[in-house]
Amino acid sequence: MGDPNTRLVWIDRNARRLATLNVRPRRWLLASMSPDGRRALLQEGSGKNSDLWMLDLGSEAINRLTLQQGTNQIGAWSPDGKEILYTSTRDGRGPVVLRRAVDGPGTDHVFYQSAASGKLADGWSLDGKWVVLQELSDKNGMDLLRMPSAGGPPIRFLATPFNEGGAQLSPDGKWVLYFVQRGRLGGPTSNHFRTRERGCRFRRLPPYTPAG
């Protein structure tokens, strides 16, 4: 999975290429920009091994965060850009959501673990108080959970017979944009919009703008 010669490029809103970054081609899979736009968290690899890298978008300097210890998946940035959440299967264990400071020694702390076979941090609220995660359960497939960023038991706030995931939080923290998969994972998807208070849903809404 992933072309070993993948390049990192800047594109505009119409997907037109603007520039190519001076970063060595690798099997780049995903990228997540920091809230201040100065850095990007990158996922690279193939199969059961993938690693995370941190890219300084100004200098284009790049540093490796993980060292081929299972699958390491991009999760969420803290709103101040000082921490990240990511999922790892290192040491042969099941997936665990880890928390790490971006600067400093790079010590990992377990943020969330369970017996579920899949989990990922999707978003971190702007006030820094809570995180939205997706978790694969035997009963409902993929569900969405809300969990205090300081730690504590999660609340499963969206659990249906379908698969929900890929949650994105609006800037005001009141809305969640997420996908719904009807049937098996990997099947056709549709997007819904949901308020936590009223449970309203809309289909096929565009991505968020900074104004929400």
Side-chain angles (χ1 to χ4, degrees), residues 136-153:
L136 183 61
S137 68
D138 294 334
K139 181 179 179 181
N140 295 321
M142 196 73 75
D143 297 332
L144 292 180
L145 287 66
R146 179 184 175 189
M147 181 173 172
S149 61

Side-chain angles (χ1 to χ4, degrees), residues 79-195:
D80 60 8
K82 294 181 179 180
E83 295 180 281
I84 57 171
L85 295 172
Y86 71 98
T87 298
S88 180
T89 62
R90 68 182 60 169
D91 302 325
R93 63 188 178 186
V96 176
V97 179
L98 300 175
R99 183 172 185 164
R100 170 188 286 209
V102 173
D103 298 311
T107 302
D108 291 318
H109 302 279
V110 175
F111 179 73
Y112 177 64
Q113 60 182 340
S114 70
S117 60
K119 56 188 72 72
L120 188 69
D122 282 338
W124 201 321
S125 65
L126 191 61
D127 61 11
K129 294 181 178 180
W130 53 275
V131 171
V132 171
L133 304 102
Q134 62 184 52
E135 181 175 75
L136 183 61
S137 68
D138 294 334
K139 181 179 179 181
N140 295 321
M142 196 73 75
D143 297 332
L144 292 180
L145 287 66
R146 179 184 175 189
M147 181 173 172
S149 61
I155 299 172
R156 197 173 300 271
F157 76 91
L158 187 58
T160 74
F162 306 120
N163 297 301
E164 297 88 17
Q168 298 180 49
L169 300 174
S170 65
D172 63 9
K174 295 181 179 179
W175 300 79
V176 179
L177 176 67
Y178 61 94
F179 70 74
V180 175
Q181 288 182 313
R182 288 172 166 79
R184 64 181 178 81
L185 285 172
T189 65
S190 62
N191 290 334
H192 290 65
F193 216 39
R194 178 182 175 90
T195 62

Side-chain angles (χ1 to χ4, degrees), residues 12 16 29 33 41 43 46 57 60-62 64 80 85 106 108 110 122 128 137 148-149 153 169 186 193 197 200 203:
D12 64 16
R16 291 190 295 257
L29 302 176
M33 194 175 295
L41 182 62
Q43 182 175 331
S46 60
L57 293 171
E60 298 187 353
I62 189 167
R64 192 170 194 161
D80 60 8
L85 295 172
D108 291 318
V110 175
D122 282 338
S137 68
S149 61
L169 300 174
F193 216 39
E197 294 83 0
C200 298
R203 295 177 182 269

